[in-house]
Structures are given as structure tokens and as C-alpha cells.
């Protein structure tokens, strides 16, 4: 499983990083949000699901 | 080889103002519209919006009452006809945001127009807003989300209507042919030049928050203040708008072709710099940021000279507080309180003062949070047994501070503050006998900037002779001085000024294109 952000419509509000600093990090160079885990560790899957639900603009996806 | 983009109207910036302009252009039937944005996403400073908007109802009583409050607020320095138009456009907000964009309103507060101007700051749900209408509190996950979502939906609607968006493509130059603006030059990320040919250009690129050098040059930041580093990106406790692309491109381009230059000011959210603790844009709305919560409280503030400088009731008015801090030596002030106050707040925040501190909330672990920051090298906060130690550590004039505290304590005891008229309920004595003294050094953090350009009542940008520049319009933070007064004194955090001027600029540019081409 991995997390994906749709950068076309992500508003870069940073809520995901504020709530889930173990999953996301703001990238000030590229003006985007970096997903921290290329492959999501199993123990973070529940948090990742919450992060998907918490995105203000529903632009985070959990994909296989 | 460069590219050419030929449109009827080009818009510089996709924040609240630029999107409002594009929206009206589409409504007015303008066919070819292009929006140029420096950032990779739309929204500008919208994530710095409050969780509400204010809208003046379209009734003669409400419109007149709002007009008069704003006219007085501007000290009759704004464009009075522009004020009436801004007020009128604000009455479109519920239709645009709630009906068309589907943003949900949790609570609507209906106001009696006779009461406009009586409420202040957070009592109306917005730290910097002006009390000129009904309040619509919006559903959202955090600060600014409702409005950020509104602008995302607006972009999608505009794209469907054929508006072209160019992201990471800032406009840097405005092209004038004779007296008319006929185009602009933008650059793609890889440096490719875009020759924009247009009949009208709307400049709505916001403040100069991302450009430290320009902020110094223009006097927004005092040159070389003692703690200058706190104004650098990433050095503040709370950066509501941490990834700014607002570099003053719009102002510079307009000045270059003879545009009128107006004052620029900082308008900010007072903060304690806290580099050791990672706190993001939404943190005040999350649990656990005790330092932020405390610095919102209306307790005693002094400057480096150890003197009070403001009615502390204004603590929930970010614009007022940050401007007052900026006026003090080295652009900061100090908040001082004692252990009794901390203990009282550990039972409950009794002030019922700041809207995001909900009833029943308690202060907890303040000293631990301070110690954690201090251990990481934070020099902007301290707690000691004595006032002497606090003054020495923070570099406050001790003799003055002791005199100020004695006077303040007397005011607290008598329930009357003859010097600053702070409400007696917010006066809490500061006593070493309580066991401990706390102090924060507070700056105008999380800053926004406003101003630089002037518009007339049609949102036409003015030249140095106060003449409108044909084909050139302005909107948003950069022109809000034209109705809030000079220098501007209302934060960009409100859509009231930015969206309205955007709507006006869109309508005016559409009319100009229709009538002249």
C-alpha cells in the first residue's frame, strides 16, 4: 500500500503534515507535500486511512 | 523560443481576488480568459482565511450602515465610492460561496445594521475583520479550509467554462502600447518567456510576504531589528502561510509602468518564535499548543523599555497587536504573567475571549512546553522566580518594568486602568509571591503584507497622477488601502476586501473590453 497526493488539485494547506507528521512533509523547494513512505509500513495503514479521510479537499488516496 | 498567449483578459494571481475577477469575467460573457499564477496551486493566501465570511445584506439600511463604518474606519482617506461598491459586492457572498460553490454554513449570525462597528475581532469570529454585516461560520477541517475548498471548486468551474490556468508561470512585466496596457510578460518554470497579448489585465498578486529584501526596502520591516531572524521563513512559531510566493511581482510591474505607489504594511498574527517546536498552519485548532493559546490572552504587554503600549483587550485583534508590536523598538513586545494566572487557567480559561478556545478548555503543561522549547535553544520565552531575573534574561528595562507592574497591579486591585482603559476583568496582578513569573517575547509573526497600489471606484489602477491606467485593473490585498484607508489596516485574512475588489475588477474589465473592442 502507498499514499498518493493529487498535486493538480492539492491546496497545500499542510493539514496532513500537522496531523500526520509521520506520513507527510511539506516541501518548500517544490511547493508540494512529500509522502514520506514509498511503501507504507503495515503499522501505519490505519493512520493512512485516517489521513485520507481528513484531507480537506479529498486529494489523498491510498493505493495498492 | 518564447510562446504567445492571446486572450481578452489576463489575470495575475489566483487568490481570492484573482479568482473573483475571473468568475465575474466568465459571468459577463468574456470569452478568452487566462489566469497566471506563480504557485503550483490556486488559492493564494486563502489558507490564511478565517473560518467565516462577513457579508453585508443588500438592504438600504445595512448598506448605509456598513458604508459609514468603513468610511469612518478609513478616516475618509479611502475612495468613498469604492467603499459603497465593496459593500454592495459583499452581499453576493452567500450566493457565490454557499449556493454556487456548495460551502456549508454551520451558523449564521444575523446582525442589526444599527449595531455594525460595535463588535471587535474574535467576538465576531475573525481576528482582523470589520464588523459590517452578517457572519457566516463555515464548515471545514481547519483554518481557511472552507475558503480554500471554495476556490478549488471555483477553479474547476472556471476550467469547465474555458478559463485557462497557467501555474508556476508568474507575470513579471506589464506591456503598455501608448497609454494602454496591451499585454504582459510571464515566465514558465524553465524560463520560457510567454508573451501575453490582452485587451485588459487584472493584477491581483497579493502582498510581498515572500520577499524579505523588499519588505526591508519598503520599510515594512524596520532595517536590522535586533531579532531579524524571526522574520525569515521557517523561523516563526506559527506560519499560517509558510510557502508564500508573494514576492511583490505585481507591485513592481505596475510601478515600472508609472503606477502609483502607496504604503505597504505588515499585518500579522502575533507570535512567539519557537524554532525548536514544529507547529504548522492548523495547529491552533489542534490540541496542545499552549504557548499559542496563552499569547492570545489579554494579559499585560510591555515593550523593551518596560512600558505598556496598548489596551490589552486588543490581544484578540491581530492586526492591532502586530502593528503595535511593529511600532515598538526592535518590533516586538513582551507578555508577562504570574503563577496565579497560570493556576487559574489550569482550572479553565475564564476569559471566554478567543473563539477557538472553547468553553471548558484548560491550560495544561505550559511550563513543560516552555522548557522543551528552551532546551532546544529558544531564547524568546522564560520563567523565573523574580521579575529581576525575567528583566535581565529578556533585556527589558528593569526599573521601568517594576514601576509598570506596580501601576498595573494597582489598576487590577482598583478595577480601573486609567492609562490604557483595559477592562478590569482582564487585569490580573503580577506578583512574585505567586511563586513564579512567566514571559514571552512576541513578534508580528505569521505575517501578511498589504498595500502598494491604488485603484479608483472601478478597480482601475491609478498612475502617479491619480489617473486610471487604461486596460489595467487591480484587486485584493495590494489595493485594499483604497478603501480601508492609507496605510491599510485590515488583514488580507478577510475575503471582504479581496473578493469584492476582485469581483469589481472582473466586472469593470469585462465592461471595458465590451465597450472598446
Amino acid at each position: 500500500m502507498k499514499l498518493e497526493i493529487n498535486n493538480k488539485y492539492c491546496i497545500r494547506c499542510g493539514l496532513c503534515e500537522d496531523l500526520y507528521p509521520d506520513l507527510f512533509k511539506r516541501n518548500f523547494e517544490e511547493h508540494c507535500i512529500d509522502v514520506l513512505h514509498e511503501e507504507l509500513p503495515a503499522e501505519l495503514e490505519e493512520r493512512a486511512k485516517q489521513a485520507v479521510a481528513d484531507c480537506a479537499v479529498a486529494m489523498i488516496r491510498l493505493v495498492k | 523560443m518564447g510562446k504567445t498567449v492571446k486572450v481578452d483578459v489576463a489575470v495575475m494571481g489566483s487568490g481570492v481576488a484573482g479568482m473573483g475577477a475571473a468568475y465575474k469575467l466568465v459571468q459577463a460573457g468574456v470569452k478568452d480568459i487566462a489566469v497566471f499564477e506563480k504557485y503550483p496551486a490556486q488559492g493564494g493566501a486563502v489558507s490564511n482565511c478565517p473560518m467565516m465570511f462577513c457579508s453585508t445584506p443588500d438592504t438600504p439600511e445595512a448598506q448605509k450602515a456598513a458604508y459609514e463604518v468603513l468610511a469612518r474606519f478609513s478616516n475618509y482617506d479611502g475612495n468613498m465610492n469604492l467603499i459603497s461598491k465593496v459593500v454592495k459586492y459583499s452581499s453576493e457572498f452567500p450566493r457565490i460561496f454557499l449556493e454556487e460553490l456548495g460551502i456549508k454554513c454551520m451558523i449564521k449570525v444575523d446582525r442589526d445594521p444599527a449595531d455594525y462597528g460595535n463588535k471587535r475581532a474574535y467576538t465576531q469570529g475573525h481576528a482582523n475583520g470589520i464588523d459590517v454585516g452578517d457572519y457566516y461560520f463555515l464548515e471545514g477541517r481547519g483554518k481557511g479550509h472552507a475558503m480554500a475548498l471554495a476556490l478549488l471548486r471555483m477553479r474547476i468551474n472556471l476550467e469547465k467554462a474555458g478559463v485557462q490556468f497557467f501555474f508556476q508561470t508568474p507575470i513579471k512585466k506589464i506591456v503598455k502600447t501608448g497609454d494602454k496596457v496591451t499585454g504582459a510578460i510571464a515566465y514558465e518554470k524553465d524560463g520560457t518567456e510567454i508573451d501575453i497579448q490582452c485587451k485588459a489585465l487584472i493584477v491581483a498578486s497579493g502582498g510581498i510576504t515572500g520577499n524579505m529584501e523588499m519588505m526591508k526596502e519598503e520599510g515594512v520591516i524596520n532595517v536590522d531589528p535586533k531579532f531579524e531572524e524571526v522574520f525569515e521563513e521557517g523561523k516563526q512559531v506559527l506560519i499560517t502561510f509558510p510557502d508564500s510566493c508573494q514576492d511583490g511581482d505585481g507591485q513592481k510591474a505596475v510601478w515600472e509602468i508609472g503606477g502609483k505607489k502607496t504604503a505597504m504594511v505588515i499585518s500579522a498574527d502575533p507570535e512567539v518564535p519557537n524554532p525548536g517546536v514544529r507547529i504548522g498552519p492548523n495547529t491552533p485548532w489542534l490540541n496542545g499548543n499552549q504557548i499559542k493559546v496563552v499569547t492570545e490572552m489579554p494579559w499585560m504587554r510591555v515593550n523593551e523599555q518596560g512600558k505598556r503600549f496598548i489596551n490589552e483587550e486588543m490581544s484578540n485583534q491581530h492586526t492591532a497587536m502586530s502593528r503595535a508590536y511593529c511600532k515598538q523598538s526592535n518590533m516586538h513586545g513582551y507578555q508577562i504573567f504570574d503563577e496565579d494566572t497560570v493556576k487559574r487557567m489550569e482550572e479553565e480559561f475564564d476569559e471566554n475571549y478567543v473563539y477557538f478556545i472553547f468553553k471548558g478548555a484548560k491550560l495544561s503543561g505550559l511550563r513543560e512546553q516552555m522548557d522543551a522549547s528552551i532546551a532546544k535553544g529558544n531564547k524568546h520565552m522564560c520563567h523565573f522566580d523574580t521579575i529581576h531575573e525575567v528583566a535581565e534574561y529578556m533585556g527589558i528595562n528593569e526599573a521601568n518594568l517594576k514601576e509598570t507592574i506596580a501601576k498595573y497591579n494597582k489598576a487590577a486591585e482598583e478595577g480601573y486602568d486609567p492609562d490604557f482603559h483595559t477592562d478590569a476583568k482582564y487585569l490580573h496582578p503580577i506578583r512574585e509571591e505567586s511563586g513564579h513569573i512567566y514571559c514571552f517575547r512576541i513578534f508580528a509573526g505569521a505575517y501578511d503584507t498589504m498595500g502598494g497600489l491604488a485603484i479608483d471606484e472601478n478597480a482601475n489602477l491609478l498612475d502617479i497622477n491619480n489617473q486610471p491606467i487604461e486596460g489595467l485593473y487591480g484587486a485584493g490585498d495590494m489595493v485594499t488601502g483604497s478603501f480601508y484607508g492609507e496605510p491599510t489596516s485590515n488583514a488580507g485574512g478577510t475575503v471582504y476586501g479581496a473578493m469584492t475588489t476582485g469581483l469589481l475588477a472582473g466586472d469593470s474589465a469585462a465592461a471595458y473590453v465590451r465597450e472598446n473592442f
Side-chain angles (χ1 to χ4, degrees), chain B residues 153-169:
Chain B
R153 288 179 181 165
M154 196 174 246
R155 168 185 161 190
I156 292 168
N157 290 350
L158 292 172
E159 280 175 337
K160 280 183 195 154
V163 175
Q164 302 175 69
F165 281 84
F166 295 84
F167 290 102
Q168 291 183 290
T169 311

Side-chain angles (χ1 to χ4, degrees), chain A residues 7-19 21 25-32 53-57 59, chain B residues 39-42 47 141-142 145 148-149 152 155-156 159 168 189 233 242-245 278-283 286:
Chain A
N7 269 316
K8 188 175 176 196
Y9 291 113
C10 164
I11 56 174
R12 280 85 170 158
C13 68
L15 181 72
C16 53
E17 189 201 27
D18 288 343
L19 293 171
K25 186 162 177 51
R26 289 194 82 127
N27 180 335
F28 292 111
E29 303 296 311
E30 298 295 320
H31 307 296
C32 64
D54 280 340
C55 176
V57 290
M59 289 298 154
Chain B
Y39 199 66
Q42 78 297 326
S47 61
R141 292 194 185 277
H145 277 157
L149 185 58
L152 173 60
R155 168 185 161 190
I156 292 168
E159 280 175 337
Q168 291 183 290
K189 206 182 169 192
E233 195 156 70
D243 197 15
S244 174
C245 275
R278 204 213 69 76
I279 295 176
N282 308 290
T283 325
L286 307 175

Side-chain angles (χ1 to χ4, degrees), chain B residues 400-443:
Chain B
N400 285 351
L401 177 61
K402 285 185 167 163
E403 198 185 314
T404 301
I405 290 178
K407 226 175 166 189
Y408 182 83
N409 288 355
K410 185 164 175 277
E413 195 183 305
E414 292 174 352
Y416 177 62
D417 169 21
D419 295 331
F420 293 89
H421 297 280
T422 297
D423 193 313
K425 68 181 170 186
Y426 302 133
L427 300 168
H428 305 299
I430 300 160
R431 289 186 298 234
E432 289 180 354
E433 304 85 82
S434 70
H436 225 61
I437 307 291
Y438 297 80
C439 182
F440 289 112
R441 185 181 286 124
I442 305 181
F443 295 81

Side-chain angles (χ1 to χ4, degrees), chain B residues 52-59 61-63 65-67 69-70 87 90-91 93-94 108-119 123-125 129-137 496:
Chain B
M52 54 88 69
F53 64 76
C54 175
S55 166
T56 312
D58 194 10
T59 66
E61 299 75 27
Q63 294 280 312
Y67 174 84
V69 168
L70 284 164
V87 171
S90 84
S91 62
F93 290 173
K108 182 185 174 215
V109 180
D110 293 308
R111 305 287 320 292
D112 180 345
D115 291 335
Y116 289 176
N118 291 344
K119 283 196 173 192
T123 52
Q124 65 180 77
I130 294 175
D131 176 26
V132 286
D134 295 337
Y135 312 139
Y136 295 76
F137 291 88
Y496 196 91

Side-chain angles (χ1 to χ4, degrees), chain B residues 13 25 31 43 65 135 162 190 251 292 307 331 347 443 465:
Chain B
L25 290 167
K31 286 280 174 278
Y135 312 139
D190 64 6
Q251 282 91 338
K292 174 64 187 159
K307 293 182 176 172
M331 301 179 72
E347 282 163 30
F443 295 81
N465 297 316

Side-chain angles (χ1 to χ4, degrees), chain B residues 200-274:
Chain B
L201 173 67
I202 297 171
V203 180
S205 59
I208 58 170
T209 308
N211 192 336
M212 184 73 169
E213 210 170 293
M214 189 172 173
M215 286 174 70
K216 274 188 174 181
E217 273 169 24
E218 300 301 331
V220 177
I221 296 268
N222 292 352
V223 176
D224 300 330
K226 201 195 300 180
F227 300 105
E228 187 187 313
E229 77 277 5
V230 304
F231 291 101
E232 290 165 18
E233 195 156 70
K235 294 286 176 63
Q236 291 156 293
V237 59
L238 169 79
I239 305 158
T240 1
F241 187 32
D243 197 15
S244 174
C245 275
Q246 297 190 338
D247 296 335
D249 290 345
Q251 282 91 338
K252 283 191 260 186
V254 174
W255 294 338
E256 206 178 308
I257 58 151
K260 184 177 175 174
K261 189 171 183 176
T262 67
M264 279 190 279
V265 295
I266 201 167
S267 170
D269 180 1
E271 307 288 351
V272 184
N274 195 1

